[in-house]
Amino acid sequence: MSEHVAVTDGADGVRLITLNRPEKKNALTGDMYDALRAALVSADGSEAVGAVVFAGLPGIFCAGNDIADFVSRAQMPFTEAPSLRFVRQLARTQTPMVAAVDGIAVGIGTTLTLHCDLVYASPAARFRMPFVELGLVPEAASSYLLPRRVGRLKATELLLLSEPFGADEAEALGLVNGVMPSGMLLEHACAQAARLAALPRGARAASRKLIRGDQALVEAALDAEAEAFERQLRTEEAQGAFRAFLARSKPGARA
Ligand code: COA
């Protein structure tokens, strides 16, 4: 569905979903969100897929939502936005998900990992959630999930002040399971995903549900965030921040 998202299924039950838009640092467009959502929906519906792995390219996991897309979608109903439909699916996906983060992981590049069952990173991983700087609010239920994972004070640093953090800090915060050299990262993530895929399905699904807690609270956070996000998206705060980023991208605009 998108030339920028590659989906390959292995004989070990692992579906590898690779973001592949290097010229824009794997920033996600509507088509890419749709392709990601479709890959998760069909994973849930497939007997052959037992786990998915999200990966990017060397040094580039994902630079977040495509900012030009934010501008073009500002007047459309946000409830139909591919990004929102994707994060709703992400929260609902029954198939275990693993992330292999090498390099930049901005916005959804970070918040996507909060939904994963296992997360691995290379020392080059650089996480950041600059929603508020961009005139927006947190998304993908991060306003609910992150404070519960790292405490409200740390979540405030990461979500309000948009503090970047690296792989070691992410590991110390419990946001990644392990840090390993880039060359080993994908292989390790896929091996762990294969272990998840090989587990007895009923016991795995029931245990996963217990570990992840009340899904209704995640859904409620998604609803509340979507309402605030849509409101903010249309403000001059947000549109001005998008224009500033896009102007900086034009040839000759950089110092
Ligand atoms: N949306 C649209 N385009 C993006 C993008 C995004 N989120 N992130 C990067 N790009 C584009 C840049 O505009 C640039 O395009 P150009 O070559 O046409 O000028 C290209 O990708 C390369 O990015 P560049 O900024 O030169 O790479 P870098 O390595 O110096 O910095 C980032 C990488 C990710 C730190 C930086 O691009 C950035 O801050 N991007 C925005 C991240 C963001 O705010 N995302 C939204 C979160 S909600």
Side-chain angles (χ1 to χ4, degrees), residues 110 114 127-133 138 146-147 150-166 169-170 173 175:
T110 295
L114 299 175
F127 298 92
R128 196 160 181 274
M129 293 173 282
F131 303 112
V132 181
E133 268 183 13
L146 197 65
V150 303
R152 183 169 59 82
L153 298 185
K154 190 68 195 177
T156 299
E157 264 180 28
L158 305 184
L159 287 174
L160 273 190
L161 296 180
S162 312
E163 294 280 6
F165 55 105
E169 189 177 354
L173 288 170
L175 296 176

Side-chain angles (χ1 to χ4, degrees), residues 24 35 50 58 65 78 113 124 132 145 169 196 201 225 233 254:
K24 295 290 180 186
N65 200 109
F78 187 62
T113 68
V132 181
L145 294 171
E169 189 177 354
L196 290 170
R201 289 216 172 187
E225 287 175 353
L233 199 52
R254 292 179 204 195

Side-chain angles (χ1 to χ4, degrees), residues 47-135:
E47 283 293 312
V49 178
V52 304
V53 174
F54 292 108
L57 302 169
I60 313 171
F61 183 63
C62 172
N65 200 109
D66 187 291
I67 291 178
D69 240 40
F70 271 147
V71 174
S72 63
R73 288 181 188 277
Q75 297 315 320
M76 297 176 193
F78 187 62
T79 45
E80 289 161 28
S83 56
L84 182 60
R85 285 154 51 100
F86 166 65
V87 296
R88 285 196 192 287
Q89 177 56 42
L90 191 62
R92 283 176 197 156
T93 295
Q94 302 293 315
T95 309
M97 297 177 285
V98 179
V101 181
D102 184 18
I104 302 160
V106 187
I108 185 75
T110 295
T111 56
L112 171 157
T113 68
L114 299 175
H115 295 268
C116 289
D117 298 275
L118 296 170
V119 182
Y120 298 96
S122 79
R126 199 80 184 136
F127 298 92
R128 196 160 181 274
M129 293 173 282
F131 303 112
V132 181
E133 268 183 13
L134 284 170

Side-chain angles (χ1 to χ4, degrees), residues 1-2 11 15 34 65 92 126 128 137 149 155 211 239:
M1 199 197 285
S2 167
R15 168 166 289 186
D34 284 344
N65 200 109
R92 283 176 197 156
R126 199 80 184 136
R128 196 160 181 274
V137 298
R149 299 276 289 277
I211 292 168
Q239 293 297 318

Side-chain angles (χ1 to χ4, degrees), residues 91 144-145 206-218:
Y144 172 77
L145 294 171
S207 305
R208 195 171 176 267
K209 207 169 161 194
L210 291 166
I211 292 168
R212 294 171 81 88
D214 191 346
Q215 178 65 17
L217 296 174
V218 177

